Amino acid sequence: MKLLEYEAKRVFAEYGIPVPKGVVIRAPEEVAAHLPDLGDGVVLKAQVDVGGRGKAGGVLFADAKTAVETARELFSREIKGVPVGEILVEERLPIEHEYYVSIAVDRSSRQPVVLFADAGGVEIEKMAEEDESAVRRVIVSPLLSDIPPFLMRELLGGAPKELAPVINSLYHVFQGKDAMLAEINPLVTTARGVYAADAKLIVDDNALARQGITVNRDLSEREREAEKHGFSYVELDGSIGVIGNGAGLTMSTLDLIEFYNGRAANFLDVGGGADQERVMHAVKLVASMPGVNVIVVNLLGGITRCDEVAKGIIAAGVAPTVIVRMAGTNEEEGRRLLAECGYRMLDSMDTAVKAAMEVSP
Ligand code: GDP
Ligand code: MN
């Protein structure tokens, strides 16, 4: 799980890494109350989970006079398509130099690898591509609780020694938080010392329970309903509802819709052995999405019986056109039941998707 910058900075601070003074705001006016504490120059940073945020207009500078207006501007932006719901407002650091440091797992040696570059900032990937020697790397045994001094010297080269304790603390974060990646870009020097001006931390999903991290997502009512029934469910922004059994079949249905330039409203995998009851809940759920005017049900009858599915679809009794493609166990009976109630059942997923496109181009 990737933490937002301010969440990562909280963790970094716990491990003794200096981070700029800052507050998280959710509305432009909130910034005013914090200005006396943050000083005249501030940096406003959109808390969105996208790379290259600065270049995409997600990092703005302001002073006490312009802070509220700048916050308003940033809240109105979308950064690479992601709306800005939270802004981290920080004191503006008088940066002398920007460095790059990251720690990840090296797949070939299966050990932590620390990367360091003298020129950090926003263009690190480009720079590393052009000049491989610009990025130094050392492998650290996971059995060690600190980066040994000789490796630290190799890593830093001619860079200031004050960076060493911060990089070592980042290694503690990496170990302590079961991280897949811990990164500071830029790690900066100022007249007041070294700071993590940015922070990135990805915690291994397999370690979330051990880390006591509960994923803090705001579930919509439909998402909660899906969770209750154990459906794999993702909302998208199109108008063609999709229900399938098995992630592969469901994804193929989405792909086919995309292939014909249609727009799927969701992904819903009812799972294996779905009975009448589950199918009914699935159809009702997708039909309740605003903007959905047709639903493609694409199921393979194995343990799942097509007649059960048909009964479930009929029991849902929802208004939108439901177009069914089913094959397998009890297919004939399913087809008969659906036909009796005026539903369309088509022979292939191709024709089913095309039929849906006619309703919802
Ligand atoms: P990213 O684009 O998402 O990686 O955002 P960063 O947090 O790394 O910020 C992008 C750039 O903004 C940095 O590389 C710095 O050059 C600049 N920046 C960020 N914070 C400060 C600050 O406090 N003072 C100054 N002078 N520049 C900053
Ligand atoms: Mn950065």
Side-chain angles (χ1 to χ4, degrees), residues 23-320:
V23 290
V24 178
I25 61 165
R26 289 175 184 82
E29 300 74 29
E30 288 175 29
V31 70
H34 301 286
L35 289 173
D37 202 36
L38 296 177
D40 192 44
V42 290
V43 189
L44 294 100
K45 309 174 90 179
Q47 296 302 289
V48 287
D49 175 16
V50 301
R53 175 187 54 171
K55 288 184 92 179
V59 177
L60 300 177
F61 299 97
D63 57 33
K65 280 199 203 73
T66 58
V68 175
E69 221 22 69
T70 309
R72 203 183 307 283
E73 164 63 29
L74 192 52
F75 274 119
S76 75
R77 285 188 186 175
E78 282 192 354
I79 311 302
K80 294 190 176 172
V82 182
V84 179
E86 294 173 313
I87 293 174
L88 174 63
V89 186
E90 287 184 334
E91 61 175 326
R92 183 167 179 172
L93 299 168
I95 296 178
E96 284 170 356
H97 193 88
E98 304 192 1
Y99 299 90
Y100 170 90
V101 61
S102 74
I103 308 176
V105 178
D106 176 52
R107 284 173 189 270
S108 50
S109 66
R110 288 178 284 175
Q111 300 190 79
V113 58
V114 189
L115 302 182
F116 179 86
D118 292 300
V122 288
E123 300 274 17
I124 181 75
E125 284 87 1
K126 195 167 153 240
M127 203 191 60
E129 226 168 73
E130 283 166 6
D131 177 11
E132 253 185 57
S133 70
V135 181
R136 286 188 286 277
R137 67 198 296 272
V138 298
I139 303 281
V140 182
S141 162
L143 301 177
L144 299 175
S145 52
D146 291 286
I147 302 175
F150 76 98
L151 284 180
M152 189 64 90
R153 278 196 295 277
E154 187 182 324
L155 192 68
L156 288 178
K161 287 186 185 58
E162 309 109 85
L163 300 176
V166 177
I167 296 172
N168 200 45
S169 296
L170 189 67
Y171 183 68
H172 294 159
V173 170
F174 181 82
Q175 297 271 44
K177 292 293 171 187
D178 295 307
M180 311 268 286
L181 175 74
E183 181 189 273
I184 307 177
N185 183 31
L187 172 64
V188 304
T189 47
T190 73
R192 294 191 265 137
V194 179
Y195 284 89
D198 194 5
K200 192 161 162 185
L201 185 60
I202 302 177
V203 177
D204 187 339
D205 284 348
N206 296 305
L208 291 182
R210 176 160 72 188
Q211 291 298 337
I213 297 175
T214 43
V215 179
N216 184 19
R217 288 177 301 142
D218 285 335
L219 294 183
S220 72
E221 206 170 304
R222 284 187 301 276
E223 284 167 328
R224 274 199 298 274
E225 179 75 8
E227 211 170 71
K228 197 173 93 191
H229 296 293
F231 302 144
S232 301
Y233 175 73
V234 179
E235 294 197 351
L236 305 164
D237 52 13
S239 55
I240 303 176
V242 177
I243 297 170
N245 62 342
L249 187 63
T250 314
M251 273 314 282
S252 307
T253 315
L254 293 185
D255 283 350
L256 205 53
I257 292 171
E258 181 80 13
F259 179 76
Y260 287 122
N261 295 317
R263 295 175 53 79
N266 73 291
F267 169 102
L268 191 157
D269 170 12
V270 285
D275 59 5
Q276 178 179 338
E277 183 85 4
R278 282 176 70 75
V279 172
M280 180 192 74
H281 285 300
V283 175
K284 278 189 171 170
L285 177 72
V286 175
S288 74
M289 290 181 72
V292 169
N293 48 17
V294 59
I295 300 173
V296 178
V297 179
N298 186 9
L299 291 141
L300 186 72
I303 300 169
T304 305
R305 286 168 32 200
C306 295
D307 56 328
E308 280 276 333
V309 173
K311 285 180 196 155
I313 293 169
I314 295 161
V318 291

